Amino acid sequence: MGLLNIGANAKTAKSDSKGVYLSAILYLAPAKTSGYNMCPSATEGCKAACLNTAGRGRMNNVQEARIRKTKEFFDNRAKFISQIYKELQSFEKKCVIINRKPAVRLNGTSDIFWPSIAPELIFGFPNIKHYNYTKNKKDMKKYMDGKCPPNYYLTFSRSESNWDFCKAVLDEGHTVAAVFDVVPKEYEGYKVVDGDSTDLRFLDEQGCIIGLKAKGKAKRDDFGFVVRNGAKP
C-alpha cells in the first residue's frame, strides 16, 4: 500500500481540477494519537479542531492506517523514507506524462520539519514544490530567514496563543493561515484572502492572512482557535 495520497482529497481536488498542478499528501497521525508526538507546537485548540477525523478520516480503517504509518516512520525510519522517495519518483514521472506540475504536502496531518528529517525528499526533487503549514516558530523562522530549500514553502498557522508571532510573519511579507467562523475581507489591519478555493498555499498573495472556514470539530471550538465574527486575537 502506498504512503502518499494522490488526487483523493476534496480540497486538493479543487486545485488539481484547474489542470496545472497535481497534488500528493502524506497523512500521519497528528499530535500524540499514535503514541509519538507529530505536532510538537500543537495547542489545545489546535488539537480539538484538528481535521484528522474529517471526511474519510472518520473511518476506523483510515485512522488505523495513519497510526500504522506513523509508527513505521519512527520504528523503521530508513525503510519509510525510502518508500516515500520511490513514490515521489513515480509521482514526478506521472506528472511529466500528464503534463502537470507536481506539488507535495508531507504534513497532511502532522507538523514536522522535513528538510532536517529527510532532506533527500526535498533536495532530491527540485522540480517538486513542497508546501506545508506549521505552528512551529523555529521552523517558520528558518523559512523566513531563507534557510529552507527553494522548493520548500511554509505557511504559518494561527492558534489561540501565537498572534504576536503571526503579526511578525505577516509584517515580513509571509502568509498566515487562520480559521474563522465567517471569513472576513480584513482582520486586525491585514488583508484576508480565501484559503478554501485551493490547497496550493505557495500560490497565495504574500503578506496576507489565508482565511479558512471553520469545519468539522472546529465549529464547536471554545479555545479561541477559531476567530469568531471579528473577535480580538
Side-chain angles (χ1 to χ4, degrees):
M1 183 181 70
L3 296 174
L4 296 178
N5 181 307
I6 300 174
N9 175 278
K11 190 173 180 182
T12 58
K14 292 182 181 179
S15 310
D16 297 343
S17 67
K18 297 178 181 179
V20 178
Y21 286 89
L22 183 63
S23 306
I25 300 181
L26 173 65
Y27 288 107
L28 299 173
K32 297 181 180 179
T33 54
S34 67
Y36 296 101
N37 191 359
M38 298 300 288
C39 305
S41 298
T43 62
E44 292 306 309
C46 171
K47 288 183 281 189
C50 185
L51 291 176
N52 176 48
T53 56
R56 295 184 65 252
R58 69 172 63 93
M59 300 169 63
N60 288 337
N61 65 321
V62 173
Q63 289 298 311
E64 290 169 359
R66 292 178 184 179
I67 290 173
R68 183 171 61 251
K69 285 188 286 187
T70 305
K71 289 182 176 179
E72 179 74 8
F73 171 78
F74 280 95
D75 297 340
N76 200 341
R77 181 74 56 87
K79 179 182 177 181
F80 186 93
I81 298 302
S82 176
Q83 178 63 31
I84 294 183
Y85 194 94
K86 292 176 183 176
E87 291 186 30
L88 288 177
Q89 287 179 316
S90 298
F91 178 63
E92 189 172 43
K93 290 178 182 177
K94 175 184 176 73
C95 288
V96 170
I97 292 171
I98 65 175
N99 195 30
R100 296 287 189 94
K101 296 180 180 180
V104 173
R105 181 148 69 96
L106 294 178
N107 282 332
T109 40
S110 55
D111 187 1
I112 54 180
F113 195 59
W114 289 96
S116 294
I117 290 174
E120 63 269 37
L121 300 182
I122 313 300
F123 290 99
F125 298 92
N127 295 320
I128 291 180
K129 190 67 176 183
H130 288 267
Y131 68 106
N132 285 306
Y133 296 89
T134 187
K135 286 186 177 67
N136 190 305
K137 295 177 182 178
K138 290 182 179 180
D139 292 347
M140 190 64 194
K141 193 68 170 63
K142 291 176 186 176
Y143 176 74
M144 293 163 65
D145 290 342
K147 296 179 180 179
C148 288
N151 61 329
Y152 196 80
Y153 183 91
L154 280 181
T155 298
F156 192 69
S157 292
R158 177 200 172 275
S159 73
E160 67 273 22
S161 59
N162 64 8
W163 178 244
D164 285 344
F165 189 79
C166 289
K167 290 190 291 184
V169 172
L170 291 164
D171 289 343
E172 287 198 28
H174 300 283
T175 52
V176 169
V179 182
F180 296 86
D181 58 346
V182 178
V183 179
K185 298 294 185 183
E186 184 180 282
Y187 178 68
E188 291 294 306
Y190 297 98
K191 181 179 179 180
V192 179
V193 299
D194 179 16
D196 286 319
S197 62
T198 178
D199 188 60
L200 302 177
R201 296 278 67 91
F202 53 90
L203 298 179
D204 290 328
E205 181 179 348
Q206 297 302 288
C208 294
I209 294 176
I210 311 306
L212 304 170
K213 186 102 168 46
K215 305 171 187 68
K217 294 186 294 184
K219 294 179 180 179
R220 302 187 297 275
D221 168 69
D222 58 5
F223 288 96
F225 178 80
V226 175
V227 182
R228 299 191 180 281
N229 296 317
K232 294 295 181 181

